[in-house]
Amino acid sequence: MTDIQTFTEELLRFDTTDGDEADAQAWVREQLDELGFETYEWTADAERLAEHPSFPDDPDDIEVADRPSVAGVLEFGDADAGPTLVLNGHVDVVPVERSLWTSDPFEPTWVGEEGEDLRARGAADMKSGLAACVFAALALREGEADEESDGLNGRVVVESVAGEEEGGIGAAAAALDNPYPFERDAALVAEPTDLRAVTATEGTVMKRLRLTGRSAHAATRWVGESVLPHFETVRHAFEALEAERSESVTHPLYGEFPIPWPICFGTVHAGSWSSTVPAELVAEIRIGVAPGETVDEVEAQYEARLAEVVADSEWLSEHPPTFERFTIQFEPAETDPDEPVVAALQDGMRETGLDETEPQGATYGADSRHYVAAGIPTVVFGPGTIEQAHFPDETVHWPDVEQARATIAATARRYLSEGSSK
């Protein structure tokens, strides 16, 4: 039988960027079949997703073709008498800048003083977490967790979904239209959390700012109107609002973050020629949304602050900027820490030697929000750190993967055992 290390290494060899998940998903389904799971497969409907607030309104802007999501199901005892727990991971990864890597990003490489760190794109975010889910389910079936699985009733579903980095294409489709002939009672998403229990994830609204100035020859730049000072005014105004929101919008799980609801000017493009006053600027901006807020209301706050900047500028009043949504949006999500799946995870953490079990918040979004929106309590827990996600030379500490496998197996056993009287 394939072991977790071999499974992870092989999965990491698939380049699953830019919607190219099909080959990897075919391999995952084949592995699940061979390992004894009952397998399922689904592909998202672009028109259905276009009705969802996370995605663009135009179905043509949502790439779903040849992007299957797959799942494997294991049943225990009288499955219909017990609960169903979904263990979710995504198979897609973000693009790489190969010049910044010290090895091939799609050839797993063991590094570190003890050779215990696994380097590859997706090592932390989140193919190792997906592998931990697969082998946690197998451990439960085979009695390899701390206690035997005898007497359990229910199901464990392991999902490998497509398009998480593009709004959660596979998970959103599964949440909107259940691909299984049974209901789902709870979920665990194995994103990198430093082996901490995350019950709240932040939302984001993505906005594109366009400013217009007046071009002029560099030799007579005073007759032009550079967009750069206007951009700086907007940027400072937005960062001031960010600071205000850090003080006024509070949440018990976000006190440790220096900027709990950050704004990021991710891209800024201005000008057309080094000898011409820059007359156009386009900036793409990510704005954080706290659990308990909505994307719409936070967007309205930033639009109002921009309107104040425009009102104070004669030029911007006469040449108003545009500030529009683009790409995908992430709604914030939160699961009550008293939910049974959270308690099961905390018990599983303590059982496997993890003492820091208090619920945490995360300043990123995850597929958990889709399941929460569908009424499925969801916790986020997995190996690796978000600081490695999307980074060059992305790595995961392998003992943390083994720890996650053991903890998730113990969590599933606890959840199925305590919920067997459903």
Side-chain angles (χ1 to χ4, degrees), residues 109-329:
T109 305
W110 292 92
V111 296
E113 292 184 4
E114 304 296 328
E116 292 184 322
D117 296 334
L118 179 58
R119 178 199 297 153
R121 173 56 89 219
D125 186 19
M126 60 169 292
K127 292 179 178 178
S128 295
L130 174 56
C133 291
V134 172
F135 285 84
L138 291 175
L140 189 64
R141 183 186 68 185
E142 295 162 13
E144 294 173 2
D146 288 345
E147 297 178 13
E148 295 293 330
S149 60
D150 291 345
L152 300 183
N153 293 315
R155 298 180 183 85
V156 174
V157 181
V158 178
E159 291 183 342
S160 175
V161 295
E164 188 273 347
E165 303 289 356
E166 296 172 61
I169 288 172
L176 288 169
D177 301 300
N178 187 356
Y180 313 110
F182 47 79
E183 296 303 317
R184 299 154 293 177
D185 298 288
L188 181 150
V189 176
E191 289 279 8
T193 69
D194 293 297
L195 300 173
R196 304 293 295 275
V198 170
T199 58
T201 55
E202 193 163 320
T204 59
V205 56
M206 306 292 285
K207 299 283 282 185
R208 183 178 285 125
L209 173 70
R210 295 181 184 272
L211 298 173
T212 302
R214 181 171 59 219
S215 62
H217 195 287
T220 57
R221 67 180 179 85
W222 55 87
V223 301
E225 184 75 27
S226 172
V227 291
L228 298 179
H230 297 298
F231 172 70
E232 284 300 291
T233 301
V234 173
R235 184 174 69 84
H236 288 306
F238 281 3
E239 290 178 349
L241 178 55
E242 173 195 69
E244 294 167 20
R245 283 175 44 74
S246 293
E247 295 294 328
S248 64
V249 181
T250 60
H251 190 287
L253 300 184
Y254 285 81
E256 67 179 276
F257 296 104
I259 306 175
W261 330 119
I263 180 172
C264 178
F265 294 83
T267 68
V268 181
H269 300 281
S272 59
W273 184 248
S274 61
S275 189
T276 301
V277 171
E280 293 183 338
L281 181 145
V282 179
E284 294 180 343
I285 305 167
R286 176 195 186 274
I287 300 169
V289 181
E293 296 185 301
T294 68
V295 167
D296 288 347
E297 65 188 19
V298 175
E299 178 182 40
Q301 292 177 28
Y302 278 89
E303 288 177 339
R305 186 58 56 95
L306 177 61
E308 293 175 8
V309 173
V310 171
D312 288 340
S313 166
E314 180 179 351
W315 178 267
L316 292 179
S317 295
E318 295 175 355
H319 305 82
T322 63
F323 192 42
E324 299 174 338
R325 287 189 189 186
F326 76 103
T327 190
I328 56 176
Q329 318 304 320

